[in-house]
Amino acid sequence: MKQASPIFDWQRPIDLSKLFVLLCAGAGGGALALWLGLPLPFLMGGLLCTIGLTFLANSRSIALPYPKPLRTFFVALIGSLIGSTVSPELARAAPNVSISLLAVAAYVGMAQCLGYFIFRTVGKYERVTALYAAMPGGLIEAVELGRKGGGDVFVLTLSHFLRVLFVVIIVPVLFWLVSGDVVGSAAGQGFERGVTGWQDLALIPAIALVGITAGRMLHLPAAHLIGPMVISATLHGTGLVSTIAPFWLLYVAQLFVGVALGAQLSGAVGSNYLTIIKTSLVSTSVMLCLSAIFALVLVNVTPLDFPALFLSLAPGGVSEMGLIALSLGISPVMVAAHHVFRIFLTVFIAAIASKNAARVRG
């Protein structure tokens, strides 16, 4: 009988000293960003300091690996926190966003075409690499499908990492400049409604752990995020559970996810960094402009306001966009639902394209 895979797959021993250095650098950057009043302080500050430390280590051929199970747990924790914001009223309003979900399909098609054009003309990528670098979602899937099709794995990995990175940096700053709200430096939606008890601090991570297992058993997309989110949303939306999450828990989740994102560049080797950075910045900027245009159109035909629609369409990671939505007081469940649908469509289209990748390459 085939054994079930463990919740956390510890593929290699953890170097605690290197992990400590990464987390200290991230915490220092987050504290500085918080002091400066920057948006999403522990996500952005931790991310940027980790990137700087990672490149310094790369120049000296020092690896700074980040344990994948640690990131898995904290992304699951974010899913649990997102689900905790669901109320019965919000659950009843969910069918009203069907129009914006359908619009995601049009957005994915246009973003893919525009991205492909940019990577071919600005970056001068060959066809297969440009095809998968242009995917507006699904970092892991894009790299794997591109590898099978004969694309440049380094270019694909760095391009999609930069897409998420640029969105995480640009979107909070845009909200900060336009509205004056410091994203992520306040409690956010669903936080500090009362006194947090030990039951809350035990239940939130417990839901995260159960959700990881359920998500993997059901083969859900982004299982370690969606599983906990669905279970938490069901429990809170039906009134079976009510938890009070402290604001510092959001900071901790920001820190660990930000450090994990920055540490992905550990060991990255390549000579065309500037070309990849330039092309990815142009592509991400065009996608964000496209997101804004769609949001301006949809705000007239859906119950969601412009900030919610813009976050729902921005081509970032599900967990990162969920964190921004949490911090802004926007329904993170609605935002996450749109992003899961976007990633599903993107991967589905790319999987179809991969069957013809060899012909496209020729």
Side-chain angles (χ1 to χ4, degrees):
M1 180 180 295
K2 183 179 179 181
Q3 295 182 348
S5 59
I7 295 179
F8 299 123
D9 184 12
W10 301 93
Q11 296 179 352
R12 54 185 171 182
I14 299 176
D15 190 327
L16 292 178
S17 61
K18 292 181 178 179
L19 178 60
F20 180 74
V21 170
L22 281 171
L23 292 176
C24 283
L32 177 61
L34 181 63
W35 180 72
L36 293 173
L38 297 179
L40 245 76
F42 283 91
L43 179 65
M44 291 181 60
L47 171 61
L48 294 175
C49 279
T50 304
I51 289 175
L53 181 62
T54 299
F55 273 104
L56 179 62
N58 287 347
S59 67
R60 301 187 178 185
S61 300
I62 300 174
L64 291 175
Y66 187 90
K68 183 179 178 182
L70 202 58
R71 182 182 188 278
T72 298
F73 172 75
F74 278 97
V75 169
L77 191 67
I78 292 170
S80 183
L81 290 172
I82 288 174
S84 71
T85 65
V86 174
S87 63
E89 292 77 17
L90 180 61
R92 288 193 291 269
N96 296 327
V97 298
S98 57
I99 295 178
S100 57
L101 284 174
L102 289 175
V104 172
Y107 170 84
V108 167
M110 293 182 66
Q112 178 74 51
C113 293
L114 288 172
Y116 178 78
F117 175 78
I118 291 169
F119 282 110
R120 285 287 287 162
T121 56
V122 178
K124 307 297 182 182
Y125 295 0
E126 54 88 19
R127 293 179 180 179
V128 173
T129 301
L131 176 67
Y132 292 104
M135 287 174 58
L139 187 153
I140 296 174
E141 294 83 0
V143 175
E144 180 60 21
L145 289 170
R147 182 189 64 80
K148 291 180 179 179
D152 189 319
V153 174
F154 171 77
V155 171
L156 290 173
T157 302
L158 188 56
S159 296
H160 281 284
F161 167 80
L162 289 172
R163 170 179 57 81
V164 176
L165 172 64
F166 288 144
V167 171
V168 167
I169 294 175
I170 293 173
V171 170
V173 171
L174 284 177
F175 277 104
W176 181 31
L177 294 175
V178 173
S179 67
D181 295 328
V182 182
V183 182
S185 293
Q189 180 174 353
F191 289 84
E192 296 296 336
R193 296 187 300 262
V195 179
T196 303
W198 67 266
Q199 299 93 337
D200 301 307
L201 294 178
L203 189 57
I204 291 172
I207 292 174
L209 293 173
V210 173
I212 294 173
T213 304
R216 289 183 175 178
M217 289 177 62
L218 296 173
H219 302 288
L220 296 176
H224 54 297
L225 175 75
I226 305 306
M229 187 180 72
V230 170
I231 292 178
S232 181
T234 301
L235 292 175
H236 287 86
T238 56
L240 295 175
V241 167
S242 178
T243 57
I244 300 173
F247 74 91
W248 57 261
L249 190 58
L250 182 60
Y251 285 163
V252 172
Q254 285 182 27
L255 172 63
F256 277 84
V257 172
V259 171
L261 190 59
Q264 289 185 28
L265 286 178
S266 179
V269 179
S271 58
N272 51 345
Y273 284 114
L274 291 180
T275 299
I276 299 174
I277 291 172
K278 177 185 67 175
T279 310
S280 297
L281 181 59
V282 172
S283 174
T284 303
S285 299
V286 169
M287 288 185 187
L288 286 173
C289 290
L290 187 64
S291 302
I293 293 171
F294 268 76
L296 285 172
V297 173
L298 292 172
V299 75
N300 298 312
V301 293
T302 70
L304 299 177
D305 57 12
F306 177 82
L309 287 166
F310 181 67
L311 279 183
S312 296
L313 292 165
V318 184
S319 56
E320 290 81 11
M321 292 297 99
L323 273 174
I324 295 174
L326 271 173
S327 303
L328 276 173
I330 297 170
S331 171
V333 175
M334 294 297 186
V335 171
H338 286 79
H339 281 287
V340 170
F341 188 49
R342 170 180 59 85
I343 292 172
F344 171 79
L345 283 176
T346 301
V347 174
F348 178 74
I349 293 171
I352 295 176
S354 67
K355 296 180 179 179
N356 300 316
R359 183 159 56 91
V360 172
R361 189 176 179 83

Coordinates of all heavy atoms in Angstrom, one line a residue, residues 112 131-132 135 141 145-146 149 343-360:
Q112 N -1.3 37.3 -20.9 CA -0.4 36.3 -21.5 C 0.2 36.8 -22.8 O 1.4 36.7 -23.1 CB -1.1 35.0 -21.7 CG -0.3 33.9 -22.4 CD 0.8 33.3 -21.4 OE1 0.5 32.9 -20.3 NE2 2.0 33.2 -21.9
L131 N 7.2 32.3 -23.8 CA 5.9 31.8 -23.6 C 5.6 31.6 -22.1 O 4.5 32.0 -21.5 CB 5.6 30.5 -24.4 CG 4.3 29.8 -24.2 CD1 3.2 30.7 -24.7 CD2 4.3 28.5 -24.8
Y132 N 6.5 30.9 -21.4 CA 6.3 30.5 -20.0 C 6.7 31.6 -19.0 O 6.1 31.7 -17.9 CB 7.0 29.2 -19.7 CG 6.4 28.0 -20.4 CD1 7.1 27.5 -21.5 CD2 5.2 27.5 -20.0 CE1 6.5 26.4 -22.2 CE2 4.6 26.4 -20.7 CZ 5.3 25.9 -21.8 OH 4.7 24.9 -22.5
M135 N 3.6 33.9 -18.3 CA 2.4 33.4 -17.6 C 2.1 34.3 -16.4 O 3.0 34.5 -15.6 CB 2.7 31.9 -17.1 CG 2.6 30.9 -18.1 SD 3.1 29.2 -17.5 CE 1.9 29.0 -16.1
E141 N 4.6 26.0 -11.5 CA 4.1 25.3 -12.7 C 4.8 25.9 -13.9 O 5.1 25.1 -14.9 CB 2.6 25.4 -12.8 CG 1.8 24.7 -11.7 CD 1.7 25.5 -10.4 OE1 2.3 26.7 -10.3 OE2 1.1 25.0 -9.4
L145 N 6.8 23.5 -16.4 CA 6.4 23.3 -17.8 C 7.4 23.9 -18.8 O 7.6 23.3 -19.9 CB 5.0 24.0 -18.0 CG 3.8 23.3 -17.3 CD1 2.6 24.2 -17.4 CD2 3.5 22.0 -18.0
G146 N 8.0 25.0 -18.5 CA 9.0 25.6 -19.3 C 10.2 24.7 -19.4 O 10.8 24.6 -20.5
G149 N 9.5 22.0 -21.8 CA 9.4 22.4 -23.2 C 10.7 22.9 -23.7 O 10.8 23.3 -24.9
I343 N -4.8 31.6 -11.3 CA -3.7 30.6 -11.4 C -4.1 29.3 -12.1 O -3.4 28.8 -12.9 CB -3.1 30.3 -10.0 CG1 -2.4 31.6 -9.5 CG2 -2.1 29.2 -10.1 CD1 -2.0 31.5 -8.1
F344 N -5.3 28.9 -11.8 CA -5.9 27.7 -12.4 C -6.0 27.9 -13.9 O -5.5 27.0 -14.7 CB -7.2 27.3 -11.9 CG -8.0 26.2 -12.6 CD1 -7.6 24.9 -12.4 CD2 -8.9 26.5 -13.5 CE1 -8.3 23.9 -13.1 CE2 -9.6 25.5 -14.2 CZ -9.3 24.2 -14.0
L345 N -6.5 29.0 -14.4 CA -6.6 29.3 -15.8 C -5.3 29.4 -16.5 O -5.1 28.8 -17.6 CB -7.4 30.6 -16.0 CG -8.9 30.5 -15.9 CD1 -9.5 31.9 -16.0 CD2 -9.6 29.6 -16.9
T346 N -4.3 30.1 -15.8 CA -3.0 30.2 -16.4 C -2.3 28.9 -16.6 O -1.7 28.6 -17.6 CB -2.2 31.1 -15.5 OG1 -2.8 32.4 -15.3 CG2 -0.8 31.4 -16.0
V347 N -2.3 28.1 -15.6 CA -1.7 26.8 -15.6 C -2.4 25.9 -16.7 O -1.7 25.1 -17.4 CB -1.7 26.1 -14.3 CG1 -1.1 24.7 -14.4 CG2 -0.8 26.9 -13.3
F348 N -3.7 26.0 -16.7 CA -4.5 25.2 -17.7 C -4.1 25.5 -19.1 O -3.8 24.7 -20.0 CB -6.0 25.4 -17.5 CG -6.8 24.6 -18.4 CD1 -7.0 23.2 -18.3 CD2 -7.5 25.3 -19.5 CE1 -7.8 22.5 -19.2 CE2 -8.3 24.6 -20.4 CZ -8.5 23.2 -20.2
I349 N -4.0 26.8 -19.4 CA -3.6 27.3 -20.7 C -2.2 26.9 -21.1 O -1.9 26.4 -22.2 CB -3.8 28.8 -20.8 CG1 -5.3 29.2 -20.8 CG2 -3.2 29.3 -22.1 CD1 -5.6 30.7 -20.6
A350 N -1.3 27.1 -20.1 CA 0.1 26.7 -20.3 C 0.3 25.2 -20.5 O 1.1 24.8 -21.3 CB 0.9 27.2 -19.1
A351 N -0.5 24.4 -19.8 CA -0.4 23.0 -20.0 C -0.8 22.6 -21.4 O -0.2 21.7 -22.0 CB -1.3 22.2 -19.0
I352 N -1.8 23.2 -21.9 CA -2.2 23.0 -23.3 C -1.1 23.4 -24.3 O -0.8 22.7 -25.2 CB -3.6 23.7 -23.7 CG1 -4.7 23.1 -22.8 CG2 -3.9 23.6 -25.1 CD1 -6.0 23.8 -23.0
A353 N -0.5 24.6 -24.0 CA 0.5 25.1 -24.9 C 1.8 24.2 -24.8 O 2.5 24.1 -25.8 CB 0.9 26.5 -24.4
S354 N 2.0 23.5 -23.7 CA 3.2 22.7 -23.6 C 3.2 21.5 -24.5 O 4.2 21.0 -24.9 CB 3.3 22.2 -22.1 OG 2.3 21.3 -21.8
K355 N 2.0 21.1 -24.9 CA 1.9 20.0 -25.9 C 2.4 20.4 -27.3 O 2.9 19.5 -28.0 CB 0.4 19.6 -26.0 CG -0.2 19.0 -24.7 CD -1.6 18.6 -24.9 CE -2.2 18.0 -23.6 NZ -3.6 17.6 -23.8
N356 N 2.4 21.7 -27.5 CA 2.9 22.2 -28.8 C 4.2 22.9 -28.7 O 4.7 23.6 -29.6 CB 1.9 23.1 -29.5 CG 0.6 22.4 -29.7 OD1 0.5 21.3 -30.2 ND2 -0.5 23.1 -29.3
A357 N 4.9 22.8 -27.5 CA 6.1 23.6 -27.2 C 7.2 23.2 -28.2 O 7.9 24.1 -28.7 CB 6.6 23.4 -25.8
A358 N 7.4 22.0 -28.5 CA 8.4 21.6 -29.4 C 8.2 22.2 -30.8 O 9.2 22.7 -31.4 CB 8.5 20.1 -29.5
R359 N 7.0 22.2 -31.2 CA 6.7 22.8 -32.5 C 6.9 24.3 -32.5 O 7.4 24.9 -33.5 CB 5.2 22.5 -32.9 CG 4.8 23.0 -34.3 CD 3.6 22.2 -34.8 NE 2.5 22.3 -33.8 CZ 1.6 23.3 -33.8 NH1 1.6 24.2 -34.8 NH2 0.6 23.3 -33.0
V360 N 6.5 25.0 -31.4 CA 6.7 26.4 -31.2 C 8.2 26.7 -31.2 O 8.6 27.7 -31.9 CB 6.1 26.9 -29.9 CG1 6.4 28.4 -29.7 CG2 4.5 26.8 -30.0

